[in-house]
Amino acid sequence: MNLPDAEQLILSLADQVRPLLDEGAALVGIHSGGAWLAQRIQKLYGKNVDLGTLDISFYRDDFSRIGLHPQIKPSDIPFDVEERPIVLVDDVLFTGRTVRAAMNELFDYGRPGKVTLAALVDRGGRELPIEAQIVGAHIPLQPQQNLHLLRDEHGTLSLKLHEA
Ligand code: 5GP
Ligand code: MG
């Protein structure tokens, strides 16, 4: 399978997110891939923009089923979310359960304005009525396949496909 260049996808995401940031939206990255991406988008934007991270390990409805060992990284939203438009960022969108959990957690901080979802890759396989408004690439994957998002020593990201 020919995988797209992750760095190109980031540029495309950043371009699509820019108008929302111009309108005053804040970035919130879902730990951990989404948090890296939100940071990259913030840098590419150049101007000051509020940035937060969410760790949803405890909020996943299936966290015992998938055997997540919650490494406690507290969520960090250092701004007032009340009425604030938010761009939620994640690396790969699959069943939608992580995003559902992230929104639950986000709403514990207050009632945001418009929430937009940006995902680097949409791999299909949704189990909830959740879609990303901003997508870098649609890459349909089988359940046993996994896309690894790698970060080298310069912070450059790349994609690699793994088959279980
Ligand atoms: P979901 O909750 O939608 O089933 O899965 C999305 C979450 O699991 C995302 O936070 C994402 O990081 C991770 N994930 C699911 N599938 C993949 C994949 O193929 N590659 C990577 N890197 N992460 C994945
Ligand atoms: Mg993740």
Side-chain angles (χ1 to χ4, degrees):
M1 186 193 292
N2 257 345
L3 292 175
D5 175 7
E7 288 293 324
Q8 282 302 123
L9 297 186
I10 292 171
L11 293 179
S12 153
L13 272 196
D15 277 349
Q16 297 178 72
V17 167
R18 180 177 298 272
L20 296 164
L21 301 181
D22 285 338
E23 288 168 10
L27 289 165
V28 174
I30 299 176
H31 177 75
S32 55
W36 296 348
L37 291 171
Q39 270 175 25
R40 289 291 304 274
I41 291 170
Q42 185 194 39
K43 276 215 182 98
L44 285 164
Y45 186 60
K47 291 178 244 170
N48 235 357
V49 56
D50 284 327
L51 173 68
T53 57
L54 286 175
D55 187 325
I56 49 71
S57 311
F58 279 133
Y59 283 72
R60 281 268 314 215
D61 52 2
D62 54 356
F63 105 74
S64 51
R65 182 175 63 78
I66 61 179
L68 274 180
H69 298 290
Q71 300 161 326
I72 318 223
K73 267 248 184 165
S75 299
D76 179 21
I77 311 268
F79 53 86
D80 186 8
V81 307
E82 205 60 36
E83 300 294 324
R84 191 77 192 272
I86 302 280
V87 182
L88 199 57
V89 183
D90 207 356
D91 53 355
V92 178
L93 177 59
F94 183 23
T95 65
R97 289 176 190 273
T98 297
V99 170
R100 203 263 329 158
M103 284 196 284
N104 265 28
E105 189 171 355
L106 183 62
F107 274 73
D108 286 349
Y109 286 83
R111 183 183 182 279
K114 182 171 87 169
V115 180
T116 302
L117 178 61
L120 191 71
V121 173
D122 179 351
R123 59 171 288 175
R126 220 75 78 239
E127 295 177 359
L128 293 173
I130 283 177
E131 291 301 334
Q133 288 72 41
I134 296 176
V135 175
H138 292 269
I139 306 178
L141 296 180
Q142 298 301 314
Q144 75 278 6
Q145 293 177 314
N146 197 50
L147 264 188
H148 286 202
L149 185 64
L150 308 170
R151 184 159 74 157
D152 74 10
E153 68 273 23
H154 308 292
T156 305
L157 298 178
S158 60
L159 290 169
K160 203 164 178 239
L161 186 66
H162 281 242
E163 307 256 356

mmCIF file with all atom_site columns, all heavy atoms in Angstrom, residues 1-6 139 141 147-148 159-161:
data_model
loop_
_atom_site.group_PDB
_atom_site.id
_atom_site.type_symbol
_atom_site.label_atom_id
_atom_site.label_alt_id
_atom_site.label_comp_id
_atom_site.label_asym_id
_atom_site.label_entity_id
_atom_site.label_seq_id
_atom_site.pdbx_PDB_ins_code
_atom_site.Cartn_x
_atom_site.Cartn_y
_atom_site.Cartn_z
_atom_site.occupancy
_atom_site.B_iso_or_equiv
_atom_site.pdbx_formal_charge
_atom_site.auth_seq_id
_atom_site.auth_comp_id
_atom_site.auth_asym_id
_atom_site.auth_atom_id
_atom_site.pdbx_PDB_model_num
ATOM 1   N N   . MET A 1 1   ? 0.847  -1.196 0.000  1.00 0.00 ? 1   MET A N   1
ATOM 2   C CA  . MET A 1 1   ? 0.000  0.000  0.000  1.00 0.00 ? 1   MET A CA  1
ATOM 3   C C   . MET A 1 1   ? 0.884  1.249  0.000  1.00 0.00 ? 1   MET A C   1
ATOM 4   O O   . MET A 1 1   ? 1.853  1.327  0.742  1.00 0.00 ? 1   MET A O   1
ATOM 5   C CB  . MET A 1 1   ? -0.894 -0.004 1.257  1.00 0.00 ? 1   MET A CB  1
ATOM 6   C CG  . MET A 1 1   ? -1.910 1.120  1.254  1.00 0.00 ? 1   MET A CG  1
ATOM 7   S SD  . MET A 1 1   ? -2.697 1.335  2.876  1.00 0.00 ? 1   MET A SD  1
ATOM 8   C CE  . MET A 1 1   ? -3.647 -0.176 2.989  1.00 0.00 ? 1   MET A CE  1
ATOM 9   N N   . ASN A 1 2   ? 0.518  2.192  -0.850 1.00 0.00 ? 2   ASN A N   1
ATOM 10  C CA  . ASN A 1 2   ? 1.242  3.460  -0.901 1.00 0.00 ? 2   ASN A CA  1
ATOM 11  C C   . ASN A 1 2   ? 0.706  4.421  0.149  1.00 0.00 ? 2   ASN A C   1
ATOM 12  O O   . ASN A 1 2   ? -0.434 4.851  0.062  1.00 0.00 ? 2   ASN A O   1
ATOM 13  C CB  . ASN A 1 2   ? 1.069  4.101  -2.274 1.00 0.00 ? 2   ASN A CB  1
ATOM 14  C CG  . ASN A 1 2   ? 2.310  3.927  -3.120 1.00 0.00 ? 2   ASN A CG  1
ATOM 15  O OD1 . ASN A 1 2   ? 3.386  3.590  -2.598 1.00 0.00 ? 2   ASN A OD1 1
ATOM 16  N ND2 . ASN A 1 2   ? 2.182  4.155  -4.410 1.00 0.00 ? 2   ASN A ND2 1
ATOM 17  N N   . LEU A 1 3   ? 1.510  4.732  1.132  1.00 0.00 ? 3   LEU A N   1
ATOM 18  C CA  . LEU A 1 3   ? 1.033  5.629  2.186  1.00 0.00 ? 3   LEU A CA  1
ATOM 19  C C   . LEU A 1 3   ? 1.442  7.063  1.875  1.00 0.00 ? 3   LEU A C   1
ATOM 20  O O   . LEU A 1 3   ? 2.528  7.307  1.362  1.00 0.00 ? 3   LEU A O   1
ATOM 21  C CB  . LEU A 1 3   ? 1.632  5.207  3.532  1.00 0.00 ? 3   LEU A CB  1
ATOM 22  C CG  . LEU A 1 3   ? 1.147  3.872  4.069  1.00 0.00 ? 3   LEU A CG  1
ATOM 23  C CD1 . LEU A 1 3   ? 1.909  3.506  5.332  1.00 0.00 ? 3   LEU A CD1 1
ATOM 24  C CD2 . LEU A 1 3   ? -0.351 3.909  4.339  1.00 0.00 ? 3   LEU A CD2 1
ATOM 25  N N   . PRO A 1 4   ? 0.568  8.002  2.181  1.00 0.00 ? 4   PRO A N   1
ATOM 26  C CA  . PRO A 1 4   ? 0.925  9.399  1.954  1.00 0.00 ? 4   PRO A CA  1
ATOM 27  C C   . PRO A 1 4   ? 2.033  9.853  2.911  1.00 0.00 ? 4   PRO A C   1
ATOM 28  O O   . PRO A 1 4   ? 2.276  9.225  3.938  1.00 0.00 ? 4   PRO A O   1
ATOM 29  C CB  . PRO A 1 4   ? -0.380 10.149 2.215  1.00 0.00 ? 4   PRO A CB  1
ATOM 30  C CG  . PRO A 1 4   ? -1.211 9.233  3.033  1.00 0.00 ? 4   PRO A CG  1
ATOM 31  C CD  . PRO A 1 4   ? -0.779 7.830  2.739  1.00 0.00 ? 4   PRO A CD  1
ATOM 32  N N   . ASP A 1 5   ? 2.673  10.948 2.528  1.00 0.00 ? 5   ASP A N   1
ATOM 33  C CA  . ASP A 1 5   ? 3.719  11.553 3.346  1.00 0.00 ? 5   ASP A CA  1
ATOM 34  C C   . ASP A 1 5   ? 3.054  12.295 4.516  1.00 0.00 ? 5   ASP A C   1
ATOM 35  O O   . ASP A 1 5   ? 2.264  13.219 4.302  1.00 0.00 ? 5   ASP A O   1
ATOM 36  C CB  . ASP A 1 5   ? 4.496  12.515 2.442  1.00 0.00 ? 5   ASP A CB  1
ATOM 37  C CG  . ASP A 1 5   ? 5.535  13.310 3.206  1.00 0.00 ? 5   ASP A CG  1
ATOM 38  O OD1 . ASP A 1 5   ? 5.755  13.033 4.401  1.00 0.00 ? 5   ASP A OD1 1
ATOM 39  O OD2 . ASP A 1 5   ? 6.129  14.217 2.590  1.00 0.00 ? 5   ASP A OD2 1
ATOM 40  N N   . ALA A 1 6   ? 3.353  11.867 5.740  1.00 0.00 ? 6   ALA A N   1
ATOM 41  C CA  . ALA A 1 6   ? 2.700  12.452 6.915  1.00 0.00 ? 6   ALA A CA  1
ATOM 42  C C   . ALA A 1 6   ? 2.930  13.960 6.995  1.00 0.00 ? 6   ALA A C   1
ATOM 43  O O   . ALA A 1 6   ? 2.044  14.714 7.405  1.00 0.00 ? 6   ALA A O   1
ATOM 44  C CB  . ALA A 1 6   ? 3.196  11.767 8.194  1.00 0.00 ? 6   ALA A CB  1
ATOM 45  N N   . ILE A 1 139 ? -7.737 6.511  4.633  1.00 0.00 ? 139 ILE A N   1
ATOM 46  C CA  . ILE A 1 139 ? -6.985 5.281  4.355  1.00 0.00 ? 139 ILE A CA  1
ATOM 47  C C   . ILE A 1 139 ? -7.756 4.119  4.986  1.00 0.00 ? 139 ILE A C   1
ATOM 48  O O   . ILE A 1 139 ? -7.588 3.827  6.174  1.00 0.00 ? 139 ILE A O   1
ATOM 49  C CB  . ILE A 1 139 ? -5.550 5.358  4.944  1.00 0.00 ? 139 ILE A CB  1
ATOM 50  C CG1 . ILE A 1 139 ? -4.831 6.619  4.459  1.00 0.00 ? 139 ILE A CG1 1
ATOM 51  C CG2 . ILE A 1 139 ? -4.759 4.105  4.563  1.00 0.00 ? 139 ILE A CG2 1
ATOM 52  C CD1 . ILE A 1 139 ? -3.429 6.789  5.051  1.00 0.00 ? 139 ILE A CD1 1
ATOM 53  N N   . LEU A 1 141 ? -8.632 0.771  6.444  1.00 0.00 ? 141 LEU A N   1
ATOM 54  C CA  . LEU A 1 141 ? -7.779 -0.307 6.952  1.00 0.00 ? 141 LEU A CA  1
ATOM 55  C C   . LEU A 1 141 ? -8.633 -1.441 7.479  1.00 0.00 ? 141 LEU A C   1
ATOM 56  O O   . LEU A 1 141 ? -9.764 -1.230 7.920  1.00 0.00 ? 141 LEU A O   1
ATOM 57  C CB  . LEU A 1 141 ? -6.886 0.207  8.092  1.00 0.00 ? 141 LEU A CB  1
ATOM 58  C CG  . LEU A 1 141 ? -5.852 1.268  7.763  1.00 0.00 ? 141 LEU A CG  1
ATOM 59  C CD1 . LEU A 1 141 ? -5.067 1.631  9.019  1.00 0.00 ? 141 LEU A CD1 1
ATOM 60  C CD2 . LEU A 1 141 ? -4.904 0.813  6.661  1.00 0.00 ? 141 LEU A CD2 1
ATOM 61  N N   . LEU A 1 147 ? -1.737 1.685  11.656 1.00 0.00 ? 147 LEU A N   1
ATOM 62  C CA  . LEU A 1 147 ? -0.827 2.673  11.077 1.00 0.00 ? 147 LEU A CA  1
ATOM 63  C C   . LEU A 1 147 ? 0.024  3.244  12.190 1.00 0.00 ? 147 LEU A C   1
ATOM 64  O O   . LEU A 1 147 ? -0.514 3.806  13.142 1.00 0.00 ? 147 LEU A O   1
ATOM 65  C CB  . LEU A 1 147 ? -1.636 3.830  10.500 1.00 0.00 ? 147 LEU A CB  1
ATOM 66  C CG  . LEU A 1 147 ? -1.988 3.878  9.049  1.00 0.00 ? 147 LEU A CG  1
ATOM 67  C CD1 . LEU A 1 147 ? -2.608 5.236  8.754  1.00 0.00 ? 147 LEU A CD1 1
ATOM 68  C CD2 . LEU A 1 147 ? -0.794 3.643  8.156  1.00 0.00 ? 147 LEU A CD2 1
ATOM 69  N N   . HIS A 1 148 ? 1.315  3.101  12.084 1.00 0.00 ? 148 HIS A N   1
ATOM 70  C CA  . HIS A 1 148 ? 2.159  3.709  13.116 1.00 0.00 ? 148 HIS A CA  1
ATOM 71  C C   . HIS A 1 148 ? 2.585  5.094  12.671 1.00 0.00 ? 148 HIS A C   1
ATOM 72  O O   . HIS A 1 148 ? 3.029  5.285  11.542 1.00 0.00 ? 148 HIS A O   1
ATOM 73  C CB  . HIS A 1 148 ? 3.386  2.839  13.391 1.00 0.00 ? 148 HIS A CB  1
ATOM 74  C CG  . HIS A 1 148 ? 3.050  1.619  14.175 1.00 0.00 ? 148 HIS A CG  1
ATOM 75  N ND1 . HIS A 1 148 ? 3.968  0.918  14.913 1.00 0.00 ? 148 HIS A ND1 1
ATOM 76  C CD2 . HIS A 1 148 ? 1.874  0.980  14.354 1.00 0.00 ? 148 HIS A CD2 1
ATOM 77  C CE1 . HIS A 1 148 ? 3.366  -0.102 15.501 1.00 0.00 ? 148 HIS A CE1 1
ATOM 78  N NE2 . HIS A 1 148 ? 2.100  -0.089 15.171 1.00 0.00 ? 148 HIS A NE2 1
ATOM 79  N N   . LEU A 1 159 ? 4.482  7.762  8.349  1.00 0.00 ? 159 LEU A N   1
ATOM 80  C CA  . LEU A 1 159 ? 3.491  6.703  8.564  1.00 0.00 ? 159 LEU A CA  1
ATOM 81  C C   . LEU A 1 159 ? 4.053  5.367  8.114  1.00 0.00 ? 159 LEU A C   1
ATOM 82  O O   . LEU A 1 159 ? 4.745  5.277  7.096  1.00 0.00 ? 159 LEU A O   1
ATOM 83  C CB  . LEU A 1 159 ? 2.224  6.996  7.758  1.00 0.00 ? 159 LEU A CB  1
ATOM 84  C CG  . LEU A 1 159 ? 1.365  8.168  8.231  1.00 0.00 ? 159 LEU A CG  1
ATOM 85  C CD1 . LEU A 1 159 ? 0.301  8.509  7.190  1.00 0.00 ? 159 LEU A CD1 1
ATOM 86  C CD2 . LEU A 1 159 ? 0.712  7.847  9.568  1.00 0.00 ? 159 LEU A CD2 1
ATOM 87  N N   . LYS A 1 160 ? 3.746  4.322  8.885  1.00 0.00 ? 160 LYS A N   1
ATOM 88  C CA  . LYS A 1 160 ? 4.168  2.978  8.524  1.00 0.00 ? 160 LYS A CA  1
ATOM 89  C C   . LYS A 1 160 ? 3.025  2.024  8.827  1.00 0.00 ? 160 LYS A C   1
ATOM 90  O O   . LYS A 1 160 ? 2.382  2.135  9.876  1.00 0.00 ? 160 LYS A O   1
ATOM 91  C CB  . LYS A 1 160 ? 5.400  2.600  9.354  1.00 0.00 ? 160 LYS A CB  1
ATOM 92  C CG  . LYS A 1 160 ? 6.219  1.533  8.724  1.00 0.00 ? 160 LYS A CG  1
ATOM 93  C CD  . LYS A 1 160 ? 7.607  1.436  9.343  1.00 0.00 ? 160 LYS A CD  1
ATOM 94  C CE  . LYS A 1 160 ? 8.324  0.287  8.660  1.00 0.00 ? 160 LYS A CE  1
ATOM 95  N NZ  . LYS A 1 160 ? 8.740  -0.748 9.581  1.00 0.00 ? 160 LYS A NZ  1
ATOM 96  N N   . LEU A 1 161 ? 2.774  1.093  7.908  1.00 0.00 ? 161 LEU A N   1
ATOM 97  C CA  . LEU A 1 161 ? 1.665  0.158  8.104  1.00 0.00 ? 161 LEU A CA  1
ATOM 98  C C   . LEU A 1 161 ? 2.151  -1.116 8.784  1.00 0.00 ? 161 LEU A C   1
ATOM 99  O O   . LEU A 1 161 ? 3.150  -1.704 8.371  1.00 0.00 ? 161 LEU A O   1
ATOM 100 C CB  . LEU A 1 161 ? 1.044  -0.183 6.741  1.00 0.00 ? 161 LEU A CB  1
ATOM 101 C CG  . LEU A 1 161 ? -0.220 -1.038 6.796  1.00 0.00 ? 161 LEU A CG  1
ATOM 102 C CD1 . LEU A 1 161 ? -1.364 -0.295 7.456  1.00 0.00 ? 161 LEU A CD1 1
ATOM 103 C CD2 . LEU A 1 161 ? -0.616 -1.487 5.399  1.00 0.00 ? 161 LEU A CD2 1
#
